[in-house]
Every structure is written in structure tokens, then in C-alpha cells.
Amino acid sequence: MTQPERRTPARRAVLGAAGAAVLGGSTVLAGGTAQAVRSAVAADAGHDARRKGHGYRSLPVPTVIAHRGASGYRPEHTLGSYQLALDMGAHVVEQDLVPTKDGHLVCRHENEIGGTTDVADHPEFASRRTTKTVDGVALTGWFTEDFTLAELKTLRAKERIPATRQENTLYDGRWDVPTFEEVLRWAEQEGRRRGREVWLHVETKHPTYFRSLGLALEERLARLLRRHGRHRADSPVFLQSFEPGSIQRLARLVDSPRVVLLSAANTRPWDFVQSGDPRTVADLVTPEGLRWIASYAQGIGPTIDLILPRDASGRLGAETTLVRDAHADDLILHPYTQRNENTFLPAEYRRGTDPVAYGDAFGALQRFFATGIDGIFSDNADTALLAAADFTAR
């Protein structure tokens, strides 16, 4: 195995500065980055045709959504990860929400926190390690719903995939687990400082499971959105879930823009499994299924494979009609997830034999954008922003 490319903090700072420059920051850089800035100016002109006043239609296209923050560079779902993503210039920053035992919403990709916090190093919580079945899958570890917020705040966040992102482990222990209300206050503060709205993309995780525990997510989320003025149709927030029923419930509580997330074609949303609805994701991406989604949501968040399937060798195959069909019902598309490492890229964009080295992420992004998607979730917002500027300037 070849040695991975070393991505030093200095190099990351240059990438971050490049991202800021692409979005009109004050940093002045020469050479290729200057060209990226010129491309961004041209891109803004193209975006004007898509902007319609306030709300989600005013966002640049392609929209770059920082997946769990700048998770390619910092432990995910920390204020440090969110801040870096915003500093890079990400248009939207994502949060995943799970509840604590006492009903607070906190930002974690999963309610099992053994892999994203130092909970295993706390002997006082050793007895809470347990096995639970979440959405039909048995998991062993520590779960947020077994901790009060005060207890959870004694833990520190760490890198979830250290074998892939060894450099991120430098930041293990630096940040705690943020509450969603803390993120809302952070976004308001950053919005005032920057003179513009800070957009969030907020997912309800395992909503049917948590409702069965008496920890319903939607009502708690709606209360926070109303408290912070993000409950309107033009509010700078997207609400998303893999369970259509959660989005339908949110549609009755707030007017914020809503997105239905879609996994592999042969899977079924967990609320469908629980209710006996026989439809699969393959049914939901038909014209009929998309019309049904459009009756209560403004967009979909499909896995990229639903747009560009991969063949047995991992190469991209023929494009499906999903983008065209979704746009026919005025649905925006925010597919997931773009990452720079070889292990996550289509086979034709991998470079070398090291799975954790960077491949041709720019090439892959050009292919993704060419499908007509409205945005993309990215662990590497700086890369996606440069690629988006290149694409829209062509």
C-alpha cells in the first residue's frame, strides 16, 4: 500500500482560504485560486437566473451542503466542524438530531455514541453499555436516550472513522456534543457577524423509534424553530428525514422547507415497515411517487447511486431519469455524499492504490453536477465549492 498524501494544517488553511475567496471573501490569492475567484463571479451571474427572492430558491446552484460540518477535516457534528465549514464558504451546514433522556435535541449522526465520543473512557458510564434494536438493527454501545444532557456534556467528541481520517484525531476531545439550540444560537451570531443568513439542513434521526420511547423529535424541533424564527417558508433551514411520515408531521407543524431523504432503491423507509406500507424507495422515485412527495415536501435527498448507479466494478453507469422527473414536480435534489478519499469515489475517479488517499474528486463532482442536481452534500466543502465554481463558469 502506498503512503497517503500528507495534508498538513497549512495546506488545509490554503484550501479553506480558497473556499472563502471563491465566495467573495477578502482574501486575495494568486494563480489558480485567482482563476477560481473569477469563475465564482461568473457563477454568481448564472445563479441570478435561479434566484427568486428569499428562501431556498435564492441559494446558489449547485448548493454546497457541508455534510455534518467540515467532517473531512474535523470530528463531525461539533461546533468546530460547523465553524470550519462556514469559514470555507459552505452555503448550508447540516445537523443530525437525536434526543437525550430528558428530551433535549443534540447533534449526533446516530444515537449510539461509542464511536463519536469518549464515553468508553468514563467508568461512571460503563454500566450503560447495552444492546438495542434500532430500526431493525441490533446495536451495542451507549445511546443518547440513556443520558441526561448534563451527563452527555461531560463527554468529548472524537473522530468517527480514524483509520480513514487519521489527521482528524488531532482534534479528539477538543469539543463537546452540541445541542441543537446551541447551534441555532451559533448560526444567529454568525449571521449577524457576516451580515447574511446562515443556512442549516436538519435531519430527524430514527423518528419512529424515538416516538415509541416517548421522545418524539418533530414537536421538539418545531418548538425550537419557532423560538428562533426558523419556522416560515422562507426561513434559512431545510428539514430532512429518511422517514416520509416525519416530514409529513413537520409539514403540519411548521412551514420550513422540507426534504425527503432516499436510500438504496430496494430499501423501505422504517415508518413504512412499521405501518405495513409495502412501497420501497424504487416506488418513491417513480413519477407517481415523486408527485406524492411533492404534495408535502419541496425536495428530495437521494443517494447519488439513484441518479448515477454504479456497476459491479464500482464505475458509474447510465444516468437515470430521477433528476428530470423530480424537477418536473418542482422538487429540488440534494444528493449525498461527496467525499475526497478514493474509498468513497467511483472507480474511474480513484487515483493510486491507497484507499484513504485523495482521488479525482473534482472530476467526480463535474460528473455529478452535469446531471442537473441542485446541490450536493459534501464532507469536503472547499473541494465542492471550487468544483461548483468551475462548473457554473463553463
Side-chain angles (χ1 to χ4, degrees):
M1 179 178 291
T2 58
Q3 284 294 106
E5 175 191 3
R6 302 307 297 168
R7 297 184 293 281
T8 64
R11 181 173 179 273
R12 287 180 175 176
V14 170
L15 286 172
V22 164
L23 292 188
S26 59
T27 305
V28 179
L29 299 174
T33 302
Q35 177 59 45
V37 175
R38 289 192 292 273
S39 297
V41 172
D44 280 341
H47 292 152
D48 286 341
R50 298 291 297 274
R51 290 172 177 159
K52 301 178 181 177
H54 297 291
Y56 68 94
R57 294 291 185 183
S58 69
L59 286 167
V61 176
T63 304
V64 173
I65 305 156
H67 186 237
R68 311 175 197 173
S71 53
Y73 310 111
R74 300 289 188 272
E76 66 191 32
H77 289 314
T78 59
L79 286 177
S81 181
Y82 299 153
Q83 184 68 50
L84 181 58
L86 198 60
D87 290 345
M88 283 179 167
H91 305 130
V92 186
V93 182
E94 187 202 30
Q95 296 77 46
D96 296 326
L97 301 186
V98 293
T100 63
K101 182 178 182 179
D102 47 350
H104 294 275
L105 297 181
V106 295
C107 301
R108 290 288 89 186
H109 175 56
E110 292 292 342
N111 52 324
E112 198 290 300
I113 54 174
T116 60
T117 72
D118 64 353
V119 63
D121 298 329
H122 287 251
E124 67 273 26
F125 299 135
S127 63
R128 299 197 196 176
R129 187 172 188 269
T130 187
T131 298
K132 297 189 178 190
T133 300
V134 181
D135 294 2
V137 178
L139 301 170
T140 298
W142 291 264
F143 298 82
T144 59
E145 64 267 28
D146 295 333
F147 291 77
T148 65
L149 179 60
E151 291 172 330
L152 200 64
K153 282 293 188 179
T154 67
L155 308 180
R156 310 301 292 181
K158 67 177 186 179
E159 173 57 35
R160 180 178 60 88
I161 47 174
T164 300
R165 293 171 175 165
Q166 299 172 23
E167 295 172 6
N168 290 13
T169 62
L170 173 66
Y171 304 98
D172 285 357
R174 179 168 287 271
W175 296 287
D176 66 5
V177 175
T179 68
F180 184 54
E181 186 151 33
E182 288 171 336
V183 172
L184 288 167
R185 289 197 294 265
W186 164 80
E188 290 165 0
Q189 180 180 2
E190 286 295 318
R192 289 191 296 270
R193 185 168 74 85
R194 296 165 188 264
R196 61 176 176 82
E197 297 174 323
V198 173
W199 276 79
L200 307 177
H201 216 302
V202 186
E203 181 181 351
T204 56
K205 300 292 294 192
H206 311 299
T208 295
Y209 168 80
F210 286 121
R211 185 168 291 276
S212 73
L213 300 180
L215 292 169
L217 301 179
E218 294 85 1
E219 289 79 6
R220 289 174 168 83
L221 174 55
R223 283 195 295 271
L224 287 173
L225 293 172
R226 289 185 175 279
R227 185 181 305 165
H228 291 266
R230 289 183 180 245
H231 61 289
R232 303 179 182 89
D234 63 350
S235 293
V237 62
F238 292 98
L239 308 179
Q240 55 173 340
S241 182
F242 281 99
E243 296 189 16
S246 183
I247 296 301
Q248 290 174 308
R249 189 178 297 274
L250 284 166
R252 295 191 289 270
L253 296 170
V254 293
D255 294 324
S256 313
R258 298 169 298 278
V259 173
V260 174
L261 298 173
L262 299 166
S263 190
N266 63 348
T267 63
R268 291 167 66 200
W270 186 248
D271 56 336
F272 283 16
V273 174
Q274 292 296 94
S275 68
D277 190 323
R279 288 177 295 173
T280 65
V281 168
D283 296 309
L284 297 183
V285 297
T286 63
E288 180 182 5
L290 292 168
R291 282 194 296 273
W292 177 72
I293 291 174
S295 70
Y296 59 86
Q298 288 68 50
I300 59 173
T303 173
I304 292 172
D305 290 352
L306 290 174
I307 299 169
L308 287 168
R310 300 191 193 191
D311 62 22
S313 69
R315 299 177 67 87
L316 295 178
E319 182 181 339
T320 70
T321 63
L322 181 55
V323 174
R324 183 190 68 195
D325 294 342
H327 282 165
D329 281 304
D330 205 29
L331 291 167
I332 59 171
L333 295 95
H334 289 166
Y336 64 93
T337 304
Q338 181 272 323
R339 299 176 170 102
N340 286 356
E341 293 88 358
N342 277 325
T343 190
F344 302 116
L345 290 168
E348 63 265 46
Y349 297 105
R350 298 170 194 160
R351 297 294 178 264
T353 59
D354 186 348
V356 305
Y358 279 7
D360 182 13
F362 288 115
L365 280 160
Q366 295 307 309
R367 182 69 185 90
F368 299 157
F369 292 150
T371 65
I373 58 177
D374 300 277
I376 196 162
F377 285 89
S378 175
D379 284 12
N380 307 88
D382 51 352
T383 304
L385 286 163
L386 286 168
D390 290 344
F391 180 78
T392 53
R394 289 192 312 191

